[in-house]
Amino acid sequence: MLDQGIPTSDSGGPAIYHIRLKGHLGDHWRAALGDVTITLDATGETLLTCIVPDQAALHGILRTVRDLGLPLIAVTRAGRPPEK
C-alpha cells in the first residue's frame, strides 16, 4: 500500500518549488534548467525557484541538478503559482 498517510488532494498540477544547493551555480545553467530564478546567497548556497507543471518536470530538474554535482540541501514545495 503506497498511499498510507500520504495526502493526494494537492499533489497534481503546477507548483512553485524552492531547491537549495550547496555551492554557487552560475547563470549560464539557466538554459539547462529552464525557467528558474537563480539566487546566490552569502553562505555559499544557491536557491533555485521554479514553477513546475507536474511531478515529472520536477524530477527532470532534480536529475539536471544531480548531474551538476552540487550537493542537494533541500527541496520545498512553496504552493501553487498565482492564477492568471
Side-chain angles (χ1 to χ4, degrees), residues 16-81:
I16 300 170
Y17 281 89
H18 298 296
I19 302 169
R20 187 166 292 279
L21 309 171
K22 184 171 178 72
H24 280 166
L25 187 64
D27 274 341
H28 63 280
W29 287 106
R30 188 178 318 278
L33 294 167
D35 188 22
V36 299
T37 301
I38 298 173
T39 306
L40 309 178
D41 67 21
T43 64
E45 295 177 357
T46 297
L47 177 65
L48 305 177
T49 302
C50 49
I51 298 174
V52 296
D54 54 32
Q55 290 290 302
L58 175 62
H59 285 272
I61 292 170
L62 293 175
R63 274 193 305 277
T64 302
V65 166
R66 177 202 62 205
D67 294 345
L68 295 174
L70 295 177
L72 179 64
I73 296 172
V75 177
T76 307
R77 186 176 185 277
R80 293 203 177 271

